[in-house]
Amino acid sequence: MTSMMQPQIILLKEGTDTSQGKPQLVSNINACMAVADVVRTTLGPRGMDKLIHDDKGNTTISNDGATIMKLLDIVHPAAKLLVDIAKSQDSEVGDGTTTVVLLAGEFLREAKPFIEDGVHPQNLIRSYRAASNMAIEKVKELAVSIEGKSLDEKRSLLAKCAATTLSSKLIGGEKDFFAKMVVDAVIAIGNDDRLNMIGIKKVPGGTMRDSFLVNGVAFKKTFSYAGFEQQPKKFHNPKILLLNIELELKSEKENAEIRLSDPLQYQSIVDAEWNIIYDKLDKCVKSGAKIVLSRLAIGDLATQYFADRDIFCAGRVAEDDLHRVAAATGGTVQTSVNNVIDEVLGTCDVFEEKQVGNERFNIFSGCPSGQTATIVLRGGADQFIEEAERSLHDAIMIVRRAMKNSTVVAGGGAIDMEISRYLWQHARNIAGKSQLFINAFAKALEVIPRQLCDNAGFDATDVLNKLRQKHALPSGEGSLYGVDINTGGICDSFANFVWEPALVKINAINAATEAACLVLSVDETVKNPKSESAQGDAAGMGRGRGGGMRGRGMRRR
């Protein structure tokens, strides 16, 4: 009786929403499955695109998993995990963002019936982690190295990896054209890790085939003053001076107070300002530079001054463009024009200003250090060019990863089917419940080839049965077979050059398993009540001053 009389203990603030136990876990799983269903149809070469319209009126057309996940304003706390793994896959590897979300969603879908039947989540998590480790070991075992090949062979192998990535994008129709361009750009920057050394400039108009690669730096003509047209627009082996100062006639910025006893002294102050700017310009000319670039403004006086001396100048150059010019030409950005020595000047074989579409571009080519490249993208609509840029970013990341970790695996669902078969076989040797859980993990991996078939309009059941039969051959010769997206049958993915770096698969399986295990390990969600808005604060302030009536009045309003 006394236990019934115990007062209720309140730990959390009034209005706090808590949900726990099995229904909570199933609700989280459902939310993650709903997110995976959003990007499901974007997988593969026949994947559809999503048109996302945000509250600012911007329209984005994309089939890149990470881009879609970022633009979806997901509020469910568990489903946000899938956004995070898509972002991490994008920053770490560049491609496979849709794959990672799909796998995580499918792992949870397979776990759901077990949870509903009362299986403890920790048993599932343990088996999933073990299955993930076995799957990654199998990927490493099946990976084929492209190390030790000649440069030409390596180029063609890397181009195949890039083409596989681009095949599922909007520019998939021109994948061979862009794959070669991407490989040339990545090889041009060598071992430099900085992705911003490859610039991508977008110029509306023309066709995709009008896009071109500059082995050097290209940027849009900056804002210019009168006198600019008189400057020469082409140089051979010029010296290039890079500045981070204004070359403008400036009045004193500070509120300096100068007391004059004689009106003639005012002229000397004006003359001093002119002398300062002329002194700077003289030093630029004496340095021997034929091209002067500055991150800050180069005014009309300086523009005319340089034009009279056959020097090209451009002010307000974007910071990343200026740094790319410095890296390419071997120059150093100066914050002063005093003591400009030859060592800080850059050089290139040819500089010219060219018309590209409606824009004029400054192009530096034949740069000595050559650690930079620029891709100038052309195309009809702005959204199309934006999506092309995102596609090229993925391809560039993939080629960089393939150069560093030079192992590739067969794409087109081949590697997924092979790991699935391996895990099914392994599970037979395990006694107890974990056999079922590893089988569930193996079944979840089949979502990739199944979704590839669904998106292309093929009969997924038929194709998967053919793949299972091929992969089950004892000789192991069927381990490279994946979905043939052109005929609706199966084919040797490796022989057809559908390749992807092993790192993409390893990262995707790892991240998807981690996310699934994290969702499964949550059994309670506590949602704090929304803090009282300014209205409540104002009411509290009124009461604090003893104005109880005023506080109530504000609340009523």
Side-chain angles (χ1 to χ4, degrees):
M1 189 68 186
T2 51
S3 62
M4 288 172 68
M5 302 287 289
Q6 287 289 334
Q8 186 185 3
I9 297 171
I10 298 172
L11 284 178
L12 302 169
K13 210 188 236 180
E14 190 184 345
T16 303
D17 175 28
T18 62
S19 38
Q20 60 193 109
K22 198 192 294 181
Q24 167 59 30
L25 189 44
V26 172
S27 152
N28 286 345
I29 290 174
N30 287 340
C32 292
M33 279 158 50
V35 172
D37 287 341
V38 172
V39 294
R40 187 177 287 278
T41 53
T42 66
L43 185 77
R46 299 283 186 272
M48 308 300 279
D49 296 336
K50 304 286 180 199
L51 191 151
I52 298 164
H53 191 265
D54 65 11
D55 52 355
K56 295 191 182 84
N58 301 326
T59 304
T60 308
I61 299 173
S62 179
N63 75 352
D64 176 44
T67 308
I68 295 167
M69 298 300 275
K70 279 180 208 161
L71 293 171
L72 290 177
D73 207 359
I74 293 173
V75 291
H76 194 285
K80 276 185 182 170
L81 269 178
L82 298 193
V83 181
D84 293 340
I85 59 168
K87 283 183 187 170
S88 78
Q89 178 82 0
D90 193 41
S91 59
E92 181 64 27
V93 197
D95 196 24
T97 48
T98 308
T99 305
V100 77
V101 174
L102 260 187
L103 280 176
E106 204 62 21
F107 289 154
L108 290 169
R109 188 187 300 274
E110 293 298 328
K112 188 179 166 187
F114 293 119
I115 296 294
E116 287 170 339
D117 289 345
V119 172
H120 197 285
Q122 285 302 335
N123 293 343
L124 269 165
I125 291 170
R126 199 178 310 118
S127 298
Y128 269 18
R129 289 218 165 110
S132 162
N133 292 336
M134 285 188 284
I136 287 165
E137 288 307 314
K138 189 67 178 169
V139 173
K140 288 177 181 170
E141 187 188 313
L142 292 167
V144 177
S145 175
I146 56 171
E147 198 62 74
K149 304 271 198 283
S150 69
L151 187 63
D152 286 344
E153 272 185 298
K154 210 163 190 182
R155 264 177 196 273
S156 77
L157 296 174
L158 291 170
K160 286 171 184 122
C161 285
T164 303
T165 298
L166 291 172
S167 66
S168 65
K169 309 291 183 191
L170 208 56
I171 54 176
E174 302 287 355
K175 64 181 179 186
D176 295 329
F177 173 73
F178 282 111
K180 184 177 177 302
M181 192 185 282
V182 165
V183 172
D184 289 344
V186 174
I187 287 175
I189 65 168
N191 295 324
D192 198 323
D193 261 356
R194 291 170 298 173
L195 201 59
N196 59 4
M197 285 295 124
I198 298 178
I200 298 180
K201 301 293 171 190
K202 295 166 285 194
V203 185
T207 64
M208 282 192 293
R209 284 257 168 193
D210 295 336
S211 306
F212 59 92
L213 176 74
V214 177
N215 270 325
V217 184
F219 57 83
K220 222 177 273 186
K221 171 181 165 294
T222 55
F223 176 80
S224 54
Y225 289 95
F228 177 81
E229 292 308 326
Q230 298 161 23
Q231 295 176 354
K233 299 293 186 289
K234 188 165 183 178
F235 292 99
H236 289 278
N237 296 318
K239 286 185 177 173
I240 302 162
L241 175 61
L242 308 170
L243 300 171
N244 192 9
I245 53 171
E246 284 182 315
L247 294 176
E248 271 193 302
L249 184 64
K250 284 273 183 193
S251 307
E252 275 305 320
K253 283 186 203 163
E254 285 75 30
N255 297 328
E257 185 179 317
I258 303 172
R259 301 195 174 195
L260 306 174
S261 55
D262 181 356
L264 294 173
Q265 289 175 330
Y266 179 69
Q267 187 59 42
S268 66
I269 294 167
V270 175
D271 290 345
E273 287 174 356
W274 283 87
N275 289 338
I276 289 168
I277 181 78
Y278 275 125
D279 181 47
K280 284 180 181 175
L281 298 176
D282 279 341
K283 283 175 178 166
C284 291
V285 173
K286 281 178 186 159
S287 69
K290 281 290 175 193
I291 297 171
V292 179
L293 303 180
S294 177
R295 198 171 79 78
L296 301 173
I298 294 181
D300 46 0
L301 170 76
T303 305
Q304 190 62 57
Y305 187 91
F306 287 137
D308 295 342
R309 287 156 184 76
D310 284 344
I311 293 173
F312 176 88
C313 71
R316 297 195 178 97
V317 177
E319 189 170 5
D320 56 340
D321 287 330
L322 199 66
H323 285 312
R324 289 212 336 273
V325 173
T329 60
T332 312
V333 179
Q334 300 296 299
T335 51
S336 160
V337 287
N338 298 324
N339 193 27
V340 175
I341 52 174
D342 276 356
E343 281 73 30
V344 300
L345 297 177
T347 182
C348 67
D349 287 351
V350 181
F351 165 80
E352 65 176 323
E353 188 176 289
K354 255 172 54 174
Q355 188 81 19
V356 179
N358 292 333
E359 309 280 358
R360 291 192 71 75
F361 267 74
N362 299 330
I363 296 174
F364 300 78
S365 47
C367 302
S369 63
Q371 283 185 338
T372 181
T374 308
I375 296 171
V376 179
L377 274 181
R378 307 295 310 281
D382 282 342
Q383 283 96 338
F384 184 85
I385 301 178
E386 295 281 345
E387 175 62 1
E389 183 190 12
R390 285 190 287 271
S391 308
L392 287 184
H393 168 267
D394 284 8
I396 287 165
M397 290 286 283
I398 283 297
V399 173
R400 280 176 66 222
R401 291 294 174 209
M403 278 181 77
K404 281 210 169 110
N405 308 45
S406 48
T407 53
V408 293
V409 291
I415 186 79
D416 307 274
M417 286 303 293
E418 184 58 22
I419 299 168
S420 179
R421 180 202 60 79
Y422 169 69
L423 289 175
W424 279 108
Q425 276 192 341
H426 179 83
R428 285 183 188 165
N429 307 324
I430 299 173
K433 290 179 195 164
S434 57
Q435 178 183 19
L436 300 171
F437 308 149
I438 290 177
N439 280 348
F441 190 97
K443 188 181 174 203
L445 288 169
E446 290 183 355
V447 70
I448 303 295
R450 189 186 310 121
Q451 201 57 48
L452 286 173
C453 295
D454 286 345
N455 291 352
F458 303 142
D459 183 349
T461 312
D462 189 35
V463 176
L464 275 176
N465 282 339
K466 285 181 188 169
L467 278 175
R468 286 195 196 105
Q469 181 255 332
K470 199 76 180 170
H471 281 263
L473 291 174
S475 57
E477 66 192 47
S479 64
L480 300 175
Y481 273 72
V483 180
D484 184 348
I485 220 77
N486 299 315
T487 63
I490 63 172
C491 66
D492 187 333
S493 295
F494 214 81
N496 284 352
F497 307 120
V498 182
W499 297 354
E500 51 186 341
L503 195 70
V504 175
K505 221 63 213 168
I506 290 170
N507 223 60
I509 293 171
N510 235 334
T513 310
E514 282 300 317
C517 292
L518 198 52
V519 172
L520 289 172
S521 66
V522 173
D523 74 335
E524 180 171 5
T525 304
V526 180
K527 222 176 190 176
N528 289 327
K530 284 183 183 164
S531 58
E532 294 298 318
S533 56
Q535 187 180 357
D537 296 344
M541 281 167 60
R543 279 201 303 277
R545 285 198 297 270
M549 284 302 290
R550 194 185 323 163
R552 280 202 294 280
M554 291 181 94
R555 260 208 309 279
R556 198 164 53 244
R557 205 181 327 148

